[in-house]
Amino acid sequence: MENFEFFNPTRILFGKQAEQKIGKLLKKDDIEKVLFVYGKSSIKDIGLYDRVVSSLKKEGIEFIEHGGVKPNPVLSHTKEGITKAKENKVDAILAVGGGSVIDEGKTIAVGAKTDKDIWEYFKRDKVIKKALPVYVILTLAATGSEMNGFAVITNEETKEKLSITSEHIFPKLSILNPELTFTVSPQYQAYAAVDTIAHVIEYYFSGQYCPNLQNRLIETIIKTVMETTEIILDEPQDYNARAEFMWSATLALNGLTRLGIKGGEFPNHMIAHSLGALYDLPHGACLSIVIPAWMRWYKDKNHKQFERFAKEIFNVNSAEEGINNLKVWFKKIGAPVSLRDAGIVESEISRIVENAYNIAVVWDMAQKYSKEVLTEILKNAND
Ligand code: NZQ
Ligand code: ZN
């Protein structure tokens, strides 16, 4: 096992009706005024908005609303949130929603504590020194943002989708009630499953050495995600399936699965972020297009691990069969598996390559992911 340091300060409150406690928990932390960040309509449709408001009012906690966060959250709306947070001198951010809402909330938390242009942090030109505390009520299990120090924002003017990472943006508290995810559509459940699998396989495949403990932990998460997703697609209100899926998604990107692995990168996310930035596709859909293509390109660089994956996950013998089976499963749950499935024509590949290469430069991966390599991978994704 490689040496490692593990730090995760997020308190998790998991279970039925847990969100009712939000007012009390904020009060306990001496929070008097929050910026209440949410998406378009889902929290109102499921009655969660009313429950949150009544819990805040009951404890006398003031709130300023910042609704309308869009999937693949954008810089302009984030900046509006930063202005509101500063003008109203809020003590904390309360993000109620999926990964997009949480990420915009985390970014506002950083922006509220600096006079610098927030985008400089995404370009990695500045290091985050402080942020407002972030509180989360999760309504869509997928990204792991509820228990990690990442946030991803799209600069819609420059078409760049970039991330920040800092110990200051781990949520202080995240409330995970699986019942709040009963209404997540089959389509988004499929994207969530792809995203969770993506989070665990990036290091599993791209690392040069993966301890058996980590291999097994990752394979357990993948099997649980596949099993529970099939149940959820059949029976959206199956509590235990929603609960196991939710916790799997959190575990997949809270730092635990990558400990002790030698090396490791996030190449599938790098390319997927370009598809998100250019075509505004859901994050999981970008990944289901990229992953089989990247796997085909990479498999001979870590052949044993691909064979292990094929055997453990699908009980087949060859790396190629493992990749095909994963692609077939993505298709079965309703995720796109090629650029063509997403309506992107082959002539667009050079544009995607340019965009992905810029991310590779910011992420310090450009040496391995040259434009030629990116072109080869994306050609695999064509159909
Ligand atoms: O806007 P509303 O009306 O709330 O609807 C949302 C949205 O349309 C809906 N939704 C959320 N909860 C629901 C619900 N619909 C019905 N019932 C519910 N309970 O779902 C749609 C998608 O929501 P979104 O938050 O965009 O999805 P997700 O959680 O997949 O987040 C995706 C974003 O997170 C980033 C992605 O790049 C993307 O921008 N990621 C963040 C990461 C992180 N911070 O660690 C890591 C990931 O790799 C990823 O990059
Ligand atoms: Zn992801």
Side-chain angles (χ1 to χ4, degrees):
M1 239 184 170
E2 293 293 297
N3 295 348
F4 65 82
E5 182 182 339
F6 181 63
F7 170 78
N8 195 314
T10 303
R11 182 186 300 276
I12 297 290
L13 192 60
F14 188 101
K16 294 178 182 175
Q17 294 170 11
E19 71 281 5
Q20 318 262 19
K21 300 186 182 128
I22 188 64
K24 275 205 168 85
L25 291 165
L26 288 166
K27 193 164 187 184
K28 190 168 139 259
D29 287 352
D30 292 329
I31 304 292
E32 292 174 358
K33 200 196 265 187
V34 296
L35 187 75
F36 177 11
V37 184
Y38 56 92
K40 303 263 179 198
S41 61
S42 71
I43 71 159
K44 292 187 175 163
D45 299 342
I46 63 175
L48 178 60
Y49 174 90
D50 291 338
R51 292 207 293 286
V52 170
V53 165
S54 94
S55 178
L56 296 177
K57 284 189 173 160
K58 208 165 146 195
E59 301 302 329
I61 292 164
E62 269 187 78
F63 58 94
I64 315 298
E65 296 199 31
H66 184 61
V69 175
K70 71 176 274 311
N72 291 328
V74 289
L75 185 59
S76 57
H77 194 261
T78 308
K79 285 186 171 172
E80 286 170 26
I82 294 172
T83 306
K84 281 186 203 170
K86 281 182 173 167
E87 280 177 3
N88 293 286
K89 299 189 169 53
V90 299
D91 308 317
I93 305 295
L94 172 60
V96 183
S100 296
V101 167
I102 304 171
D103 286 5
E104 183 160 326
K106 286 173 170 177
T107 308
I108 295 170
V110 175
K113 289 281 198 182
T114 178
D115 290 327
K116 303 268 174 352
D117 175 6
I118 192 69
W119 196 244
E120 291 181 25
Y121 295 92
F122 286 84
K123 290 288 221 177
R124 314 257 162 123
D125 294 340
K126 290 260 169 320
V127 176
I128 295 168
K129 297 273 171 54
K130 51 192 168 179
L132 289 172
V134 177
Y135 294 77
V136 168
I137 300 176
L138 185 66
T139 66
L140 197 173
T143 64
S145 187
E146 65 279 7
M147 200 179 179
N148 71 34
F150 306 118
V152 188
I153 295 288
T154 299
N155 182 333
E156 68 271 44
E157 270 177 25
T158 60
K159 299 263 181 224
E160 290 169 289
K161 186 171 181 179
L162 295 175
S163 55
I164 46 174
T165 167
S166 164
E167 65 179 62
H168 301 292
I169 58 171
F170 279 84
K172 189 161 173 45
L173 166 78
S174 281
I175 293 180
L176 276 59
N177 174 358
E179 290 175 318
L180 299 179
T181 67
F182 281 175
T183 49
V184 169
S185 66
Q187 200 188 18
Y188 266 99
Q189 175 57 33
Y191 302 150
V194 174
D195 195 21
T196 304
I197 292 172
H199 293 157
V200 290
I201 62 174
E202 293 273 36
Y203 271 52
Y204 175 91
F205 285 126
S206 68
Q208 296 129 43
Y209 157 76
C210 190
N212 261 331
L213 171 64
Q214 300 305 79
N215 277 332
R216 294 190 185 114
L217 181 58
I218 287 166
E219 288 150 5
T220 298
I221 289 175
I222 297 171
K223 287 179 199 173
T224 309
V225 163
M226 293 178 70
E227 209 174 271
T228 53
T229 294
E230 297 202 2
I231 298 171
I232 290 165
L233 293 178
D234 253 10
E235 182 40 76
Q237 305 218 353
D238 186 307
Y239 179 84
N240 284 331
R242 288 284 189 189
E244 285 199 47
F245 182 86
M246 191 175 221
W247 188 232
S248 299
T250 303
L251 287 177
L253 200 59
N254 73 349
L256 274 181
T257 60
R258 66 167 66 170
L259 303 179
I261 297 179
K262 185 170 186 189
E265 290 166 329
F266 257 54
N268 292 286
H269 275 75
M270 180 181 78
I271 304 169
H273 283 347
S274 287
L275 296 179
L278 292 170
Y279 310 105
D280 203 13
L281 291 170
H283 175 61
C286 300
L287 284 164
S288 56
I289 295 169
V290 172
I291 289 170
W294 177 85
M295 286 173 110
R296 268 167 65 199
W297 173 76
Y298 195 83
K299 72 174 193 313
D300 292 331
K301 298 175 178 40
N302 195 0
H303 206 260
K304 269 203 158 149
Q305 189 74 338
F306 277 80
E307 280 179 348
R308 180 188 166 111
F309 174 83
K311 189 86 209 151
E312 290 296 328
I313 305 299
F314 295 108
N315 199 22
V316 292
N317 290 319
S318 73
E320 196 59 54
E321 282 175 289
I323 298 168
N324 284 340
N325 274 284
L326 184 64
K327 190 169 174 176
V328 167
W329 190 76
F330 284 169
K331 213 172 177 153
K332 179 178 150 194
I333 60 169
V337 291
S338 65
L339 293 171
R340 187 184 310 202
D341 282 354
I344 301 168
V345 294
E346 192 172 2
S347 56
E348 286 287 291
I349 286 180
S350 56
R351 200 169 154 232
I352 306 167
V353 165
E354 288 300 322
N355 192 292
Y357 185 74
N358 285 339
I359 304 179
V361 171
V362 177
W363 287 11
D364 208 9
M365 287 167 65
Q367 229 175 349
K368 201 180 292 173
Y369 289 90
S370 64
K371 291 184 187 175
E372 291 69 32
V373 164
L374 290 167
T375 305
E376 201 183 324
I377 297 170
L378 282 157
K379 282 197 168 155
N380 284 347
N382 198 39
D383 51 23

